Amino acid sequence: MSLGDYPFQDPHPIIDAHVHCGVQVHYPPQSLADYRSLLTGARIAGAALFAPVIEIYDRNDPEFQDTPAWQNRRRAANQHLLTLEDPEFAVYPYFFIWNDFAADQLGPDHKGIKWHRHDDEPVYHYDDPRCAAAVAEIRRRNLPVVLEEEYENTVRFIEEIAEGVRVIIPHLGLLNGGFHRIRQRGLWELPTVYGDTALASLQDIQTYIDEFGPDRLLFGSDFPFGDPRRELGKIYNLDISEEARARILGGNFLRLTGEVQSD
Ligand SMILES: [Zn+2]
């Protein structure tokens, strides 16, 4: 299922806001079944799923140019996530967008956007008019964007290109220039900017909560690179109220998701 509202009875559901899931690449194993096999004893009841980077573009070639074959691979990777309905686990598919800015592939079941690049990887064509058109559609649907980009592009995206769009900075900024650089720029304070806890240090997570509160922070694991139970353990180790913990573990994610327009 991929309902905007959490479909189960649990008053404090745990949702993992950062899970890579694909079946075209098997190293490391990263199907939904692989993920769920790690959850024994962890009360994780749903997850935001993104296709693996390596099913979207050739991250090892900075000069990489898009091809029809890669467009097909990308479409299949995104499409796969829409097939994962499960009566016992809530699936929230995120659409991984790349340089064809294929916003026409967005459907009613998409709950967010994955936008990802490291500084040694092929660049997004931010000046392409299709980029602005895709951002306009993302804004219209109120889809949150998980934005992993180098620092300058993170700032440009949030302050100029996608003003008003809700952006989730993964890893509390670890790969977007660092937690403190994002903090110095004043981005964490913006009401549209969220963070996820995947692979972030306990100290940065605690500092974030002390300064900016618990309402825009999302628990995430970064499976298969992070271990969901270990990442969950970090949230239980934070010195915060149980109410704040419940928001971070799932309440904030469900609020964000509930505000998405399905068409
Ligand atoms: Zn990730």
Side-chain angles (χ1 to χ4, degrees):
M1 64 184 64
S2 55
L3 304 173
D5 298 322
Y6 185 75
F8 309 123
Q9 295 302 311
D10 190 336
H12 296 299
I14 302 177
I15 309 290
D16 186 337
H18 190 145
V19 171
H20 297 268
C21 175
V23 290
Q24 298 183 62
V25 173
H26 300 280
Y27 303 99
Q30 48 199 308
S31 71
L32 184 58
D34 295 321
Y35 172 73
R36 291 189 64 193
S37 73
L38 297 181
L39 300 186
T40 318
R43 220 166 38 83
I44 297 175
L49 304 182
F50 328 133
V53 176
I54 204 157
E55 295 184 3
I56 299 294
Y57 60 84
D58 185 354
R59 66 186 313 177
N60 298 310
D61 176 7
E63 308 299 320
F64 171 68
Q65 299 293 326
D66 208 7
T67 64
W70 272 93
Q71 287 180 334
N72 287 339
R73 181 176 164 97
R74 188 177 314 134
R75 184 188 289 267
N78 278 314
Q79 186 62 34
H80 170 68
L81 303 182
L82 299 174
T83 67
L84 296 174
E85 287 202 6
D86 188 318
E88 290 172 356
F89 191 82
V91 165
Y92 301 93
Y94 274 45
F95 181 78
F96 199 140
I97 199 161
W98 207 64
N99 270 331
D100 48 350
F101 298 107
D104 58 307
Q105 291 176 28
L106 284 170
D109 291 334
H110 285 119
K111 300 303 176 196
I113 302 289
K114 173 71 169 164
W115 196 300
H116 175 282
R117 174 184 165 262
H118 292 171
D119 60 7
D120 55 351
E121 294 179 1
V123 298
Y124 276 97
H125 299 156
Y126 287 107
D127 296 322
D128 186 326
R130 291 178 301 172
C131 177
V135 169
E137 179 62 6
I138 290 165
R139 187 185 285 112
R140 191 184 69 76
R141 289 179 184 249
N142 209 11
L143 290 162
V145 176
V146 175
L147 175 70
E148 189 161 309
E149 249 284 18
E150 63 181 298
Y151 175 74
E152 282 74 16
N153 289 335
T154 299
V155 171
R156 186 178 168 207
F157 191 88
I158 291 171
E159 294 183 352
E160 295 170 33
I161 294 168
E163 225 190 314
V165 171
R166 297 170 309 166
V167 169
I168 302 165
I169 301 180
H171 316 295
L172 275 186
L174 204 63
L175 293 162
N176 291 62
F179 174 70
H180 291 280
R181 220 167 155 202
I182 302 283
R183 178 168 168 249
Q184 276 160 13
R185 183 78 187 192
L187 296 183
W188 295 129
E189 284 152 46
L190 299 176
T192 52
V193 172
Y194 292 66
D196 85 35
T197 61
L199 304 179
S201 74
L202 200 54
Q203 190 182 6
D204 284 352
I205 298 172
Q206 188 74 55
T207 303
Y208 175 95
I209 296 167
D210 292 345
E211 291 191 20
F212 309 108
D215 290 340
R216 294 195 305 278
L217 187 60
L218 312 174
F219 156 66
S221 74
D222 200 16
F223 168 83
F225 310 105
D227 175 71
R229 284 192 299 180
R230 181 184 303 178
E231 292 298 313
L232 192 55
K234 288 194 318 208
I235 309 302
Y236 285 108
N237 274 317
L238 292 166
D239 181 22
I240 51 175
S241 71
E242 287 315 308
E243 203 205 326
R245 205 181 321 276
R247 288 182 197 183
I248 295 163
L249 288 175
N252 294 335
F253 179 86
L254 293 172
R255 195 186 67 238
L256 257 180
T257 304
E259 291 164 1
V260 169
Q261 301 291 322
S262 59
D263 52 27

